[in-house]
């Protein structure tokens, strides 16, 4: 089926090229293009011809841009068959856009009599959109063609999936590179990080459960139970506050906690951890992170990896992007309830379905004095007793059980809990009150929640590394 679609597209491109006379003999003098087989033409229309190239199309023409951190940009134009063309007729500019705004556009200039055009900008820092505007002598226009510059054009890191914010906040002192991400990934799945070789980050944050886990509360080294349910680490690149009580504000600082926590990886101190990892990761960390192996450099690498774990492109995102049939009727009714009368969307705000605020619903509250005090532990404010950070609802159908203590087993039970108005207690949030939903409406809300499962992102960062270690190195 896919082949037929591609064949059709190829034939259509052939027809257009032939009719507009673009396939003239003078275009076919590029030896690189001439060597392309029919197969290449059919199946790799958007494949870059240059290392690290990003390809965009306007009509039958392709633009290929290669950008470097030092601000040097190279551009080529090719026709429907990816034959690079003489760029004499091209006039265009490049604009660097960051979250701080747009720089002044710079012009592309031809390099001698070659087919290459160049432009020079300021050094590229942080995430950046590179916007090309221009036109060919024949009237073809390239308008506002946006290319995402993500530090490492080859690996396609940090390219958020559909529905997520395209700008990922990054710390200035921990730039993700392919090598750092790969080191972080190996560490994330390595049980050598725990004292007895039993527990990796992935033991609790399990890829098959959207990086959460099915246990009520987590269990660390020696099966010791923690107090809270394991949240997903997907999309945490965007989180301004981490953990159920918002104790941490960066992935770099958060990663230190499980490494040293007695109920998690139980390392007594940094020295013993570094000693255990030195042989396997010492040199690699020095080479990759530019600093010696330490709890800080480990945490930085882990953060780089976690920043590549996106989850978007859900049925909900496709629906919002205009594919009306992406979600069924029950889910559509549920969507209306969610963003309307029930008020769910006031706290679970898209795109991540959280407001990153702390609310008390009374979930798991017993009032017996040994309750988890939640946000109060961080602020000491009376009104924060029993308040927890609104969790993201992305992939929520994969992350049962629910709430900070895993006390609710299914999505239907969660909605029933809201329908009752949560659990009454002194600090219950003003937005929580009984809803009077019918059983059918509850089903509709559940159907909506199930549309939030993401699809694995293209770089397949979710799967364990091939040689994931089972503690056998010990
Ligand atoms: C024993 C199980 C366990 C292990 C091992 C573990 N975690 Fe967690 N993780 C949890 C639990 C439970 C929480 C929530 C704790 C809280 O809110 O107090 C959490 C929270 C997080 C969060 C915050 C997510 C959010 O929604 O704010 C991140 C990020 C994270 N862990 C990363 C890691 C990394 C990196 C490692 C390995 C170094 C790791 N975890 C090891 C159980 C575990
Ligand atoms: C006042 C803000 C607020 C409103 C309104 C709200 N939620 Fe929540 N939601 C939260 C908080 C906070 C939690 C976590 C509470 C805890 O663990 O104690 C939560 C937890 C959840 C969870 C469990 C997620 C997980 O990973 O454990 C689901 C599912 C959920 N809410 C769905 C809904 C639905 C559906 C509605 C509307 C009927 C709704 N929420 C309304 C704040 C809110």
């Amino acid at each position: 089926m896919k082949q037929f679609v591609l064949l059709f597209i190829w034939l259509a491109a052939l027809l257009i090229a032939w009719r507009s006379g673009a396939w003239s003999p003078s275009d076919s003098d590029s030896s690189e293009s001439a060597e392309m087989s029919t197969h290449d033409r059919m199946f790799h229309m958007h494949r870059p011809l240059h290392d690290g190239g990003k390809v965009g199309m306007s009509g039958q023409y392709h633009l290929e841009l290669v950008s470097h951190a030092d601000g040097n940009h190279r551009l080529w134009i090719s026709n429907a068959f990816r034959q690079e063309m003489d760029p004499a007729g091209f006039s265009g500019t490049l604009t660097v856009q960051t979250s701080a705004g747009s720089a002044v556009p710079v012009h592309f200039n031809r390099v001698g009599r070659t087919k290459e055009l160049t432009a020079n900008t300021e050094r590229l820092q942080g995430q950046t959109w590179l916007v090309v505007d221009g036109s060919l002598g024949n009237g073809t226009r390239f308008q506002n063609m946006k290319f995402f510059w993500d530090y490492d054009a080859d690996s396609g890191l940090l390219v958020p999936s559909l529905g997520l914010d395209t700008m990922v906040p990054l710390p200035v002192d921990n730039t993700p590179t392919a090598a750092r991400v790969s080191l972080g990934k190996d560490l994330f799945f390595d049980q050598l990080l725990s004292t007895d070789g039993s527990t990796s980050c992935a033991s609790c944050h399990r890829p098959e459960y959207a990086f959460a886990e099915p246990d009520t509360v987590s269990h660390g080294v020696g099966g010791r139970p923690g107090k809270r349910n394991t949240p997903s680490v997907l999309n945490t690149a965007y989180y301004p506050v981490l953990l159920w009580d918002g104790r941490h504000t960066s992935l770099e600082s958060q990663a230190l906690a499980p490494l040293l926590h007695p109920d998690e990886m139980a390392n007594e101190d940094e020295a013993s951890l570094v000693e255990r990892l030195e042989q396997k990761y010492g040199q690699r960390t020095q080479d990759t992170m530019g600093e010696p192996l330490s709890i800080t450099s480990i945490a930085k690498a882990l953060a780089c990896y976690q920043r590549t774990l996106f989850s978007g492109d859900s049925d909900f995102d496709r629906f919002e992007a205009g594919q009306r049939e992406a979600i069924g009727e029950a889910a559509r009714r549920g969507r209306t309830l969610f963003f309307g009368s029930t008020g769910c969307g006031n706290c679970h705000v898209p795109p991540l379905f959280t407001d990153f605020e702390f609310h008390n619903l009374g979930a798991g509250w017993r009032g017996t004095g040994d309750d988890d005090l939640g946000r109060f532990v961080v602020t000491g404010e009376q009104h924060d007793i029993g308040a927890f950070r609104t969790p993201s609802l992305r992939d929520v159908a994969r992350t049962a059980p629910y709430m900070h203590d895993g006390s609710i087993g299914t999505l239907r039970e969660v909605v029933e809990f809201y329908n009752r108005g949560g659990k009454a207690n002194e600090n219950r949030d003003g937005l929580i009150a009984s809803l009077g939903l019918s059983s059918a409406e509850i089903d509709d809300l559940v159907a909506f929640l199930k549309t939030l499962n993401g699809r694995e992102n293209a770089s397949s960062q979710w799967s364990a590394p091939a040689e994931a270690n089972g503690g056998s190195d010990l």
Side-chain angles (χ1 to χ4, degrees), residues 188 193 199-201 204-205 213 218-220 228-233 236 239 241-245 247 251 254-255 258-259 263-265 302 306 389:
F188 192 90
L193 265 63
T199 311
S200 71
C201 307
C204 297
H205 300 284
E213 67 171 337
S218 63
H219 292 83
R228 292 179 178 166
N229 181 249
T230 306
S232 169
V233 298
T236 45
Y239 285 22
V241 285
L242 293 155
L243 305 178
W244 285 104
D245 53 19
R247 219 155 59 240
L251 287 170
Q254 192 282 326
L259 289 168
D263 296 338
E264 298 189 31
M265 296 169 133
L302 285 165
Q306 292 179 91
R389 187 197 61 193

Side-chain angles (χ1 to χ4, degrees), residues 203-360:
S203 307
C204 297
H205 300 284
R206 293 163 63 178
E208 64 274 33
Y209 295 99
F211 289 88
E213 67 171 337
D215 286 350
T216 310
V217 293
S218 63
H219 292 83
V221 162
R224 284 199 286 274
K227 291 188 181 59
R228 292 179 178 166
N229 181 249
T230 306
S232 169
V233 298
L234 291 170
N235 297 326
T236 45
Y238 297 105
Y239 285 22
V241 285
L242 293 155
L243 305 178
W244 285 104
D245 53 19
R247 219 155 59 240
H248 286 280
T249 54
S250 84
L251 287 170
E252 280 78 1
S253 69
Q254 192 282 326
L256 306 176
L259 289 168
L260 299 175
H261 199 291
D263 296 338
E264 298 189 31
M265 296 169 133
N267 289 292
E268 257 169 38
D269 51 29
E270 173 172 6
S272 58
L273 172 68
V274 169
E275 193 188 313
R276 186 154 14 89
L277 296 182
E278 183 59 42
Q279 200 194 347
K280 191 165 173 190
Y281 291 107
Q283 189 60 46
R284 186 171 165 200
T285 303
Q286 180 65 53
D287 296 346
T288 314
M289 307 304 295
E291 50 188 282
L293 182 70
S294 70
I295 197 161
T296 327
S297 52
I298 293 169
K300 283 167 93 172
L302 285 165
C304 285
Y305 168 58
Q306 292 179 91
R307 285 201 179 90
T308 65
L309 296 173
F310 295 108
S311 180
D313 195 15
S314 63
D315 290 343
F316 165 79
D317 297 307
R318 292 182 175 201
F319 177 80
E320 297 297 324
Q323 293 180 27
R324 306 313 280 181
E325 69 296 346
I327 71 177
E329 270 183 35
R332 265 184 251 183
R333 287 192 302 269
R335 177 178 171 279
T336 308
L337 287 167
F338 189 93
F339 293 113
S341 58
T342 60
C344 309
N346 292 334
C347 298
H348 297 284
V349 186
L352 295 176
F353 290 85
T354 163
D355 55 359
F356 292 112
E357 296 289 340
F358 303 85
H359 305 277
N360 175 318

Side-chain angles (χ1 to χ4, degrees), residues 50 131 190 293 314 352 361 407-408 418 421 451:
H50 300 267
V131 187
D190 199 335
L293 182 70
S314 63
L352 295 176
L361 315 181
S407 59
I408 304 187
Y418 279 109
T451 67

Side-chain angles (χ1 to χ4, degrees), residues 172-187:
V172 281
D173 60 350
N174 192 17
T175 307
T177 61
R180 287 180 177 195
V181 169
S182 149
L183 171 63
K185 181 172 180 175
D186 289 346
L187 289 166

